[in-house]
Amino acid sequence: MKLQSVNAFLIMFAGTVVIGLFYFGFTSPSLRYIEQRLCLNKTKKSRENALLQSPQGFIYKQPSVVGPDGKVGPLTPWLAPIVSEGSFDPTLIDAIYKQQNITVATTIFALGKYTIFLKDFLESAEQHFFVGFRVHYYVFTDHPEQVPDVKLGEEHELTVMTVNSLSRWQEMSLGRMKRLELLIESGLVNDADYLFSLDVDTKFYGRWGAESLGDLIGVIHAWFYYTPREQFPYERRPESQAFVPYSEGDYYYGGAVLGGSVKQVYQLAKTCREQLDIDAAKSIEAAWQEESHLNKYFIYNKPSKLLSPEYSWDDKRGTPREMKMVRFSQVPKNYDEVRPNT
Ligand code: GAL
Ligand code: MN
């Protein structure tokens, strides 16, 4: 009898405590706040982990771009997709990203005589590059008056960023990482979700849309996808910060295209700029300037998505069987005409 009433009391007491906790949990602003903060912390942490870092000096087999069937492989050995024609549904992927109401920012560097490329670049971009999405071009130039008046699509915007002239084409290339870093620090691209940096001496020939979006994006160079890694044109002098040993490297990436989330592009630009500064202080210029530093960065910070050479072709190079289409390509140029030095 006595035991029963003690039990009943305990059950009632426990019930009250549980109901009380529930009530307190749902109504107390402080508890809700803590809960929210925990969620935020979790989200932030997973974003920070998005960098796919791999250790230096780690030896493994070089991945191949084209498989035995003559087709571009679908994945890297770290399971990042390699985007090529046939690997995605353009209408589906655009529809998914349209729901997210994204803005894509794109920097283009047109210094000295490189402004002659702007018209074709912009006109062809307007036909193929993120059609139907919000796009914001940032054109860096020392000749703002030479930026052509190209009619832009709805929700497409262009900002001219006037910069000082440079005397060597190598410096035009070398300065891009710093400009990218400063642009992001300035907060100007805060409205953007993704950021690309594209070479201006190029032209779009085909669709380039939401399939190219991801945290960190690199493009496989048009000339080296059959090349053994020890023959990649990496910087090979150990004195340079861009140095890559013969036993390392996955793919040779083109410097004409880089991209990703604003946060990841900032990390990349800042790191490469720091490495470029160290080299400059020692009067070392890497074999292919910022492209060499970019390639080093991508070995130890793997891109989360790779674009096949369809996204950075070269007009000089025909179209071999394994390339189903060309979307973006370097246009032939007379170096003597566009470069201030050799
Ligand atoms: C060329 C390209 C250069 C550089 C070089 C590397 O085809 O025009 O920008 O990437 O390959 O060897
Ligand atoms: Mn170029």
Side-chain angles (χ1 to χ4, degrees), residues 179-243:
R179 296 242 158 82
L180 211 47
E181 182 188 4
L182 290 175
L183 176 73
I184 300 170
E185 277 175 4
S186 75
L188 265 181
V189 285
N190 272 355
D191 63 332
D193 302 276
Y194 296 96
L195 178 56
F196 283 96
S197 181
L198 302 175
D199 261 18
V200 70
D201 50 343
T202 51
K203 215 177 143 171
F204 291 85
Y205 293 107
R207 174 210 154 84
W208 180 321
E211 73 281 3
S212 66
L213 297 174
D215 270 337
L216 186 62
I217 306 296
V219 72
I220 299 172
H221 196 292
W223 290 96
F224 300 103
Y225 56 83
Y226 280 126
T227 308
R229 53 162 61 127
E230 64 276 12
Q231 288 169 32
F232 283 164
Y234 288 145
E235 173 54 56
R236 300 298 187 181
R237 291 167 297 173
E239 308 87 81
S240 168
Q241 297 299 308
F243 166 69

Side-chain angles (χ1 to χ4, degrees), residues 249-268:
D250 304 301
Y251 308 95
Y252 190 75
Y253 298 95
V257 174
L258 65 88
S261 66
V262 175
K263 189 175 165 189
Q264 295 291 338
V265 172
Y266 180 68
Q267 268 312 313
L268 178 158

Side-chain angles (χ1 to χ4, degrees), residues 48 61 95 109 126 129 146-147 151 198 255 269 319 334:
E48 274 163 7
K61 205 168 136 246
F109 295 83
E126 282 302 295
F129 187 68
Q146 288 173 17
V147 177
K151 191 176 168 337
L198 302 175
T319 335
N334 181 343

Side-chain angles (χ1 to χ4, degrees), residues 92-260:
L92 171 62
I93 202 148
D94 276 0
I96 291 169
Y97 281 89
K98 282 223 180 90
Q99 300 274 324
Q100 299 176 14
N101 202 18
I102 55 163
T103 297
V104 178
T106 304
T107 58
I108 308 126
F109 295 83
L111 282 94
K113 294 185 189 132
Y114 277 69
T115 51
I116 60 166
F117 298 109
L118 276 171
K119 189 164 185 292
D120 272 3
F121 177 96
L122 290 169
E123 281 177 357
S124 63
E126 282 302 295
Q127 279 175 44
H128 301 292
F129 187 68
F130 286 100
V131 175
F133 285 87
R134 256 202 309 277
V135 172
H136 196 148
Y137 303 102
Y138 292 86
V139 176
F140 287 80
T141 183
D142 50 345
H143 292 295
E145 75 291 349
Q146 288 173 17
V147 177
D149 193 13
V150 172
K151 191 176 168 337
L152 301 180
E154 214 182 302
E155 295 202 291
H156 285 204
E157 223 181 305
L158 187 151
T159 302
V160 178
M161 310 287 289
T162 306
V163 296
N164 291 335
S165 301
L166 292 165
S167 52
R168 295 171 65 241
W169 67 265
Q170 290 89 342
E171 268 148 33
M172 299 177 193
S173 166
L174 290 165
R176 296 200 296 187
M177 291 297 184
K178 186 168 180 75
R179 296 242 158 82
L180 211 47
E181 182 188 4
L182 290 175
L183 176 73
I184 300 170
E185 277 175 4
S186 75
L188 265 181
V189 285
N190 272 355
D191 63 332
D193 302 276
Y194 296 96
L195 178 56
F196 283 96
S197 181
L198 302 175
D199 261 18
V200 70
D201 50 343
T202 51
K203 215 177 143 171
F204 291 85
Y205 293 107
R207 174 210 154 84
W208 180 321
E211 73 281 3
S212 66
L213 297 174
D215 270 337
L216 186 62
I217 306 296
V219 72
I220 299 172
H221 196 292
W223 290 96
F224 300 103
Y225 56 83
Y226 280 126
T227 308
R229 53 162 61 127
E230 64 276 12
Q231 288 169 32
F232 283 164
Y234 288 145
E235 173 54 56
R236 300 298 187 181
R237 291 167 297 173
E239 308 87 81
S240 168
Q241 297 299 308
F243 166 69
V244 177
Y246 290 103
S247 53
E248 292 185 50
D250 304 301
Y251 308 95
Y252 190 75
Y253 298 95
V257 174
L258 65 88

Side-chain angles (χ1 to χ4, degrees), residues 37 75 89 95 108 142 161 204 218 233 249 252 282 302 337 340:
R37 246 196 7 209
L75 293 171
D89 180 332
I108 308 126
D142 50 345
M161 310 287 289
F204 291 85
Y252 190 75
K282 293 197 258 174
K302 307 285 196 210
E337 242 168 54

